[in-house]
Amino acid sequence: MAVVASAPGKVLLTGGYLILERPNAGIVLSTNARFYAIVKPLYDEIKPDSLASEWTDVKLTSPQMSRESIYKMSVKHLLLQCASSSHSRNTFVEYAVQYSVAAAYASLDNDKKNVLHKLILQGLDITILGCNDF
């Protein structure tokens, strides 16, 4: 099952990528063009050895930028480790994935956390698309 999420695009007036590090700040305006993320399981089922593993696979694809990155995610610490070449890394996207998964865990009760854990063990296949206005 795929999940599609959408968010308004933004124009960064000041700050650049420096705003990813504290204490830097920036000024951002939203636009009516949107970004979309499509998230689905990477594998159809959980591999038997995945249940004992502390790592799962994450594939991030951005067709418009001709980028694909492969990561390993620590299921225990929710940290990403890049497994593909370093030129395809995008720190902003890496943080977005880590914080999104952490927020999902934090907002769920124990029964739903177990379901989320099993879904994450199937791996994450994430595709990022932007409106052509960008």
Side-chain angles (χ1 to χ4, degrees):
M1 170 175 90
V3 175
V4 179
S6 170
K10 61 188 174 301
V11 175
L12 198 59
L13 295 177
T14 63
Y17 281 105
L18 290 173
I19 65 170
L20 296 175
E21 303 291 332
R22 291 186 182 177
N24 302 317
I27 298 175
V28 179
L29 297 175
S30 66
T31 69
N32 57 356
R34 300 190 71 77
F35 276 94
Y36 299 89
I38 303 163
V39 182
K40 59 186 177 185
L42 192 55
Y43 308 112
D44 292 331
E45 57 188 42
I46 300 173
K47 296 177 185 176
D49 59 339
S50 294
L51 292 172
S53 176
E54 291 188 23
W55 297 89
T56 191
D57 298 324
V58 177
K59 181 173 90 170
L60 291 170
T61 307
S62 177
Q64 292 165 313
M65 302 291 241
S66 300
R67 283 186 164 182
E68 182 176 290
S69 301
I70 306 297
Y71 294 89
K72 292 288 188 182
M73 176 186 267
S74 167
V75 178
K76 184 176 181 180
H77 301 289
L78 304 178
L79 297 174
L80 287 178
Q81 179 178 347
C82 190
S84 58
S85 62
S86 61
H87 76 276
S88 62
R89 290 187 66 186
N90 184 325
T91 307
F92 178 77
V93 173
E94 290 174 16
Y95 283 139
V97 170
Q98 288 175 181
Y99 292 150
S100 297
V101 173
Y105 269 112
S107 66
L108 297 174
D109 61 32
N110 284 336
D111 291 335
K112 290 183 182 176
K113 282 182 186 177
N114 290 333
V115 172
L116 177 61
H117 183 76
K118 288 178 182 176
L119 287 171
I120 287 175
L121 287 176
Q122 285 181 263
L124 298 173
D125 184 357
I126 303 169
T127 303
I128 302 166
L129 300 166
C131 287
N132 288 332
D133 293 343
F134 291 102

